[in-house]
Amino acid sequence: MAKAIGIGGIFFKARDPAALSAWYARHLGLPLEDWGGVRFDEDATRPGSTLWAPFAADTGYFAPSTQPYMVNFRVDDLDALLAQLRAAGVTVDERTDTSELGRFGWIMDPEGTRVELWQPPA
């Protein structure tokens, strides 16, 4: 059975993402990257890392959800998991995305929150 194997990221809306990122960097020592978020590398034996990233308050990236956050789960087999979720009646976005960062798919939970599924590159 395909499954989630970790948290890929915590993403949330902010009125001023750059200022908020700077606040966290200053007060919690978060090591900001050029793109405005943080990459926490957990286990060198597994592909992927965990991200923390504020998004602009008016981002459309979380749509169709109206929630101010989105969780990204690292998964072991994106295609198999999406098929399992469809078979279980979960709302699955028909679109997937593939890039040098890996493969991505999206679902909606029962509360209307968009959830991102990420299969890191091998």
Side-chain angles (χ1 to χ4, degrees), residues 45-102:
T45 65
R46 277 193 340 211
S49 54
T50 301
L51 304 179
W52 174 93
F55 280 65
D58 61 353
T59 185
Y61 192 69
F62 303 171
S65 175
T66 58
Q67 300 284 15
Y69 64 91
M70 181 176 70
V71 176
N72 167 297
F73 287 98
R74 196 174 16 229
V75 302
D76 59 357
D77 185 337
L78 181 64
D79 292 327
L81 183 54
L82 292 176
Q84 286 172 203
L85 293 167
R86 282 187 185 96
V90 173
T91 301
V92 176
D93 192 321
E94 292 302 315
R95 181 179 69 90
T96 59
D97 186 37
T98 301
S99 73
E100 69 279 358
L101 301 174

Side-chain angles (χ1 to χ4, degrees), residues 62-69 107-115:
F62 303 171
S65 175
T66 58
Q67 300 284 15
Y69 64 91
I107 63 172
M108 295 291 282
D109 78 8
E111 298 277 328
T113 303
R114 186 168 172 89
V115 176

